[in-house]
Structure formats: C-alpha cells, structure tokens
Amino acid sequence: VPQSYVVMLTGLPRQALAGASPEKVKAGTFLKTGTGRRIALEDLRMSQGQALELFFIFPRAGDPLDAGSKSVEFVTALGRFEIKKKFSLQDMVVEGKLEL
C-alpha cells in the first residue's frame, strides 16, 4: 500500500512560480474531502525537464480517503495563481475497490 497520495501538475509556465516560496505553497495547498476534512501538503517536489512538473505529496496514514468521502478537491496557491480541481472518487473505483 502506498504511503502517500501524489498529485502531479504539469504544463505550467515557469513564471507561475514567481513569488511562490515553498512555505507559501505548502501553506496554501491541501486536499479537501467531500466531508470537508483537509489533508495538508506533506512535501513538494519539482522536475525541470522540458516542461515544469510539480509533485504534491500528501500523507495517506491516519485517516485515508474512502468512497464515503464521495469526492476530493486539490487546492493550491502558486504565486498569483489559485488552482482547484475536484475529483469524483466514484470514478476511481476498479472492481469494487477504490484505487488511489
């Protein structure tokens, strides 16, 4: 069982990180479940190949996501950009099991 949830964000221009210190990104990034619970960002990693790729790492331990949450929303603040994306957990069920 993986120990983390990882959300990858790619395709952003490098200017998107202007004014985005690691501390500010960490403070403004979380997963929000359909029940309103927030999961704080644990770590942030970056790959600087041809495209900028950010890997947002969230802890899975303690109270992991389950189908009862119905959805999870990724929220981050990168400099002057706020990015939100909601995911339906129903879409992540394979053979009756939630696959995250």
Side-chain angles (χ1 to χ4, degrees):
V1 174
Q3 295 179 1
S4 304
Y5 302 111
V6 179
V7 176
M8 183 177 113
L9 187 58
T10 187
L12 291 174
R14 295 197 188 284
Q15 301 89 322
L17 294 180
S21 70
E23 295 80 21
K24 285 182 182 179
V25 172
K26 193 166 186 175
T29 302
F30 55 90
L31 294 177
K32 182 177 160 186
T33 70
T35 60
R37 181 173 60 93
R38 288 186 177 199
I39 302 171
L41 182 67
E42 184 174 70
D43 194 11
L44 174 64
R45 298 191 186 158
M46 185 172 28
S47 171
Q48 294 188 17
Q50 284 192 336
L52 178 64
E53 296 177 335
L54 299 173
F55 299 88
F56 298 87
I57 301 166
F58 299 90
R60 190 183 281 250
D63 190 9
L65 294 171
D66 61 24
S69 294
K70 300 203 191 273
S71 66
V72 64
E73 183 176 27
F74 168 74
V75 178
T76 190
L78 297 174
R80 60 189 173 108
F81 296 97
E82 181 178 48
I83 299 168
K84 294 181 178 184
K85 174 63 179 163
K86 193 174 210 174
F87 300 93
S88 168
L89 295 182
Q90 183 80 24
D91 294 340
M92 299 178 192
V93 173
V94 178
E95 295 181 3
K97 183 179 174 195
L98 186 60
E99 295 291 335
L100 296 175

